[in-house]
Amino acid sequence: MASSSEDVLLIVPSVWHKKSSGSLYLMAERVAWMSGSKEVFTISHNYIDIKIQKISPDTKEKVQLQLVMHNGEANTFHFRNEGGRGAQVRDREKVKELLQKLLPQFRSKINSELEMKHKMLQEDKQLFQLYNDLVVSGVISAEEFWSNRSHLTKEKISDQNQNIGVSPSFLSEIKPTSDGSNSISYNLTSDMIDSIFRTYPQVKKKHFECVPHEMCESEFWTKFFQSHYYHRDRINLGSKDVFTDCAKTDDTEMAKDLMSEVAGGMVDMTSLADNPIGEDFGESATNDLLGKASSTAANSNQTIIKRFNHHSTRILKTAEEKSRQHATEEPSRPENTDSQANKRKMEELTTLEDLQSDAPHSKKSQLSLSKVSRYFHGPVADNPQPTYRSTESMMRAANALVQEVEQWSGDIKNNLTSDVARDILTQLSPGGTLMQGMSLTSMSDLVPGEIRAELKNLYCALNELLRHFWACFPTQTKQLEEKLVKMEQNLQRFTTSKLQPFKEKIHHYSFSFNLTDHMESQLSTAIERYQKWISKRNHKSLSSIALKT
């Protein structure tokens, strides 16, 4: 239940989660859901943890609302008011509108780097365990943990910071919802608004001029969807709304695009006009391409086609603007270089290798050899080794080798007997008399899996601390000295909070070997190095004081 100090702002009954019925509570700092058969909240999320809310489309039978968290988790609530679909939609709208007011107040300013850190911890289990052992337990701070991993987060952020294109069907995805009282509403997301601004710069310009000086955000978008600029297939030249200038500017830009030559000169746009008899028969090609206001007003089909063409042109220009921005960042090239590049591109488009004649064979210089055998056999060493130049010499060498083998006899007087050799092997085997104090059995056979996993985590945590510790040497700055002192304290804290409890835990297993011996030697080496540095620094400070006096 909610604590006595919490203010319940809204309670919505008949809200299902998965297959359980319950009630949805919106309080001052969190949203929670309680099952009908329980007296405690089954689901509870602080507003600061909620990233976005989503609602189901009108075409879907179920009336649902989904809450998406910053960590990627999501919970979907199904509104099942017995009053019917209208009552279910009203309950959901109450929750949605209240969340729209509350979420901006509690929304945490999590930047892309922090989100990437959360994603890295979720994807890497070992890194997450290391974070729990060091940061969550209080051994080191989060800033120290991420200090040497900043390059990883920056690389991932740079990989994700790519220009996302605009979908050609984004306008059709903006579907209005009706409340049954001759009014409709639009649910705009930040991505939809960004797509509108990128596709129609005139709307972005009007938004900058009007909001919030002349009207609020919601009023601006209401006028946008009510305007004839959005419904341009409904021709009304006498309209004097906010977006009248936008339509006129778009017509002017479209006329310029039609009159301008296509880059590369490979396409003649004027040849696409329908002039079967002649250019002066009926309307001219220029008038057909420009699409005068009189002709477009008389023919609704031309208006629709014109709108489709303008929308497609704007979608393509959003991609061209990105490439143009990239080109401006590069150093300017001379004009002759651009002309040469266009010429090469023209040749690539118009030249087919299969249709080209074979190039004349160039004259090749002939190779003159004085000794052909040396050319085929390769270089010969200055002091060649003796070789067998006939079959008889090879046979003599083979016979000599056979005689040497037959005459050879090994000295077996000092060889071990089979019983002695077997006894030595037994003593050198694991568990033998000569192998006392030494174990060749693998750790997996002697140490339980739980202890091995905990030992691995301790090694990872200690190596992380030691990496920070040894990175402070040589301590040439005051910041490194402060970090070194702090890291020595972190090592002491690790010994008391992590290593000592582990030693007490494995003491009950009575192992014949010390699992923490290596870690203790690493810690003692680091502490000794720190003590030497402290004594050296104190000696320098005393010397400087003596010189001053």
Side-chain angles (χ1 to χ4, degrees):
M1 294 293 292
S3 61
S4 58
S5 59
E6 287 184 293
D7 295 330
V8 179
L9 305 178
L10 179 64
I11 301 177
V12 181
S14 301
V15 178
W16 288 59
H17 177 69
K18 295 183 178 180
K19 296 183 180 180
S20 301
S21 175
S23 299
L24 190 65
Y25 292 77
L26 273 74
M27 291 164 281
E29 296 182 356
R30 59 173 176 160
V31 57
W33 179 83
M34 180 187 298
S35 177
S37 59
K38 297 182 180 179
E39 296 183 356
V40 294
F41 289 128
T42 308
I43 300 174
S44 178
H45 294 297
N46 293 327
Y47 295 131
I48 197 173
D49 298 329
I50 299 176
K51 182 178 181 181
I52 194 175
Q53 62 169 333
K54 298 180 181 180
I55 62 173
S56 58
D58 294 340
T59 56
K60 194 173 182 180
E61 181 180 358
K62 296 180 179 179
V63 180
Q64 295 177 324
L65 183 140
Q66 187 183 56
L67 299 179
V68 182
M69 307 297 129
H70 287 288
N71 57 5
E73 298 180 358
N75 285 311
T76 304
F77 301 98
H78 181 197
F79 296 83
R80 300 179 62 175
N81 194 318
E82 297 179 356
R85 182 176 178 83
Q88 296 170 6
V89 173
R90 285 193 296 271
D91 290 343
R92 186 188 64 182
E93 291 299 315
K94 291 179 182 178
V95 176
K96 185 193 74 172
E97 293 175 0
L98 186 56
L99 286 175
Q100 287 178 346
K101 297 179 181 179
L102 295 174
L103 289 181
Q105 302 175 7
F106 293 90
R107 184 169 296 160
S108 60
K109 298 179 181 179
I110 300 179
N111 53 18
S112 57
E113 184 177 356
L114 186 56
E115 292 181 357
M116 185 54 61
K117 291 176 181 178
H118 284 286
K119 188 175 181 181
M120 290 174 61
L121 292 176
Q122 292 175 358
E123 294 177 351
D124 194 341
K125 295 182 179 180
Q126 185 175 358
L127 184 64
F128 180 71
Q129 183 63 41
L130 185 63
Y131 186 85
N132 287 333
D133 293 338
L134 296 179
V135 180
V136 178
S137 60
V139 178
I140 62 176
S141 62
E143 290 76 11
E144 294 173 344
F145 181 81
W146 293 108
S147 60
N148 290 343
R149 293 180 174 85
S150 58
H151 64 284
L152 298 177
T153 56
K154 290 180 180 179
E155 289 177 359
K156 289 184 175 291
I157 291 173
S158 61
D159 294 340
Q160 289 190 348
N161 288 340
Q162 56 182 352
N163 185 37
I164 301 175
V166 178
S167 174
S169 60
F170 78 93
L171 284 178
S172 61
E173 296 175 357
I174 307 176
K175 297 180 180 179
T177 58
S178 176
D179 57 358
S181 58
N182 296 330
S183 64
I184 58 176
S185 60
Y186 290 87
N187 295 318
L188 292 179
T189 62
S190 58
D191 295 334
M192 292 179 181
I193 294 175
D194 181 67
S195 298
I196 294 174
F197 285 163
R198 292 172 61 185
T199 308
Y200 304 109
Q202 296 299 324
V203 178
K204 182 178 181 181
K205 182 179 178 181
K206 284 293 181 182
H207 183 273
F208 178 76
E209 294 175 355
C210 299
V211 179
H213 312 293
E214 300 178 5
M215 62 187 72
C216 61
E217 186 83 14
S218 60
E219 186 179 357
F220 175 84
W221 292 113
T222 300
K223 289 183 177 294
F224 172 77
F225 289 112
Q226 292 176 349
S227 65
H228 292 282
Y229 182 75
Y230 183 73
H231 304 282
R232 274 172 285 180
D233 52 336
R234 305 174 185 176
I235 303 302
N236 185 359
L237 298 178
S239 177
K240 298 296 182 182
D241 58 7
V242 180
F243 300 95
T244 302
D245 298 337
C246 297
K248 294 180 180 179
T249 306
D250 290 342
D251 291 339
T252 304
E253 291 181 355
M254 192 173 181
K256 291 181 180 179
D257 293 338
L258 290 174
M259 294 301 296
S260 61
E261 295 182 357
V262 179
M266 294 298 297
V267 181
D268 185 9
M269 295 298 294
T270 59
S271 63
L272 301 178
D274 294 333
N275 297 303
I277 298 178
E279 182 177 355
D280 296 331
F281 183 81
E283 293 185 348
S284 63
T286 305
N287 291 337
D288 292 337
L289 289 174
L290 290 178
K292 288 185 176 180
S294 59
S295 61
T296 56
N299 193 343
S300 60
N301 293 334
Q302 291 183 1
T303 304
I304 296 175
I305 294 173
K306 180 181 177 182
R307 184 179 180 184
F308 286 159
N309 291 337
H310 179 260
H311 179 74
S312 301
T313 303
R314 291 307 314 169
I315 293 294
L316 293 175
K317 283 191 174 182
T318 55
E320 293 177 358
E321 290 173 358
K322 182 64 178 179
S323 60
R324 192 179 300 112
Q325 292 176 1
H326 179 70
T328 55
E329 295 176 358
E330 297 179 352
S332 58
R333 297 175 295 180
E335 295 182 359
N336 57 355
T337 305
D338 295 336
S339 61
Q340 292 176 2
N342 293 333
K343 185 177 180 180
R344 286 195 301 269
K345 184 177 181 181
M346 184 72 68
E347 292 178 353
E348 292 176 358
L349 295 174
T350 56
T351 304
L352 298 177
E353 296 181 358
D354 297 340
L355 301 180
Q356 300 298 321
S357 60
D358 296 336
H361 297 285
S362 59
K363 295 182 179 180
K364 298 180 180 179
S365 59
Q366 296 181 356
L367 184 63
S368 177
L369 300 176
S370 58
K371 294 183 179 181
V372 181
S373 59
R374 294 183 61 184
Y375 177 77
F376 287 106
H377 290 286
V380 181
D382 295 335
N383 297 322
Q385 299 294 332
T387 57
Y388 302 105
R389 301 184 180 277
S390 63
T391 306
E392 296 179 357
S393 60
M394 295 176 63
M395 294 299 297
R396 287 196 299 269
N399 293 331
L401 178 62
V402 171
Q403 293 177 3
E404 290 290 337
V405 172
E406 291 177 351
Q407 296 175 3
W408 179 83
S409 61
D411 187 7
I412 59 176
K413 296 180 180 179
N414 297 326
N415 289 352
L416 297 176
T417 61
S418 59
D419 295 336
V420 176
R422 186 169 52 253
D423 184 39
I424 293 176
L425 290 176
T426 304
Q427 295 179 9
L428 292 174
S429 299
T433 56
L434 299 178
M435 301 299 294
Q436 295 295 333
M438 302 179 62
S439 177
L440 300 180
T441 308
S442 61
M443 183 179 291
S444 59
D445 298 333
L446 301 177
V447 181
E450 179 184 357
I451 301 299
R452 292 201 309 272
E454 190 172 354
L455 180 64
K456 179 181 178 181
N457 295 334
L458 284 177
Y459 261 108
C460 292
L462 179 59
N463 290 336
E464 178 70 16
L465 292 176
L466 292 175
R467 183 163 61 88
H468 284 276
F469 177 84
W470 292 111
C472 298
F473 294 98
T475 54
Q476 298 177 351
T477 61
K478 188 175 181 180
Q479 290 78 8
L480 288 176
E481 293 182 358
E482 294 176 354
K483 183 179 179 180
L484 180 61
V485 174
K486 191 172 183 180
M487 291 311 303
E488 191 273 339
Q489 297 174 358
N490 293 335
L491 290 175
Q492 298 289 355
R493 194 179 299 111
F494 173 84
T495 304
T496 56
S497 62
K498 294 293 182 180
L499 190 59
Q500 290 297 337
F502 179 74
K503 291 178 64 177
E504 295 175 359
K505 182 178 180 179
I506 64 176
H507 179 70
H508 304 286
Y509 289 91
S510 300
F511 294 122
S512 59
F513 44 85
N514 188 1
L515 289 177
T516 62
D517 186 29
H518 183 241
M519 286 190 289
E520 290 176 350
S521 64
Q522 288 180 304
L523 285 169
S524 61
T525 303
I527 298 301
E528 289 177 2
R529 181 67 179 87
Y530 177 77
Q531 295 295 337
K532 291 181 180 179
W533 175 79
I534 287 291
S535 60
K536 186 177 180 180
R537 188 183 65 169
N538 294 336
H539 179 72
K540 288 183 178 180
S541 60
L542 292 175
S543 300
S544 61
I545 293 173
L547 291 174
K548 291 180 181 179
T549 57

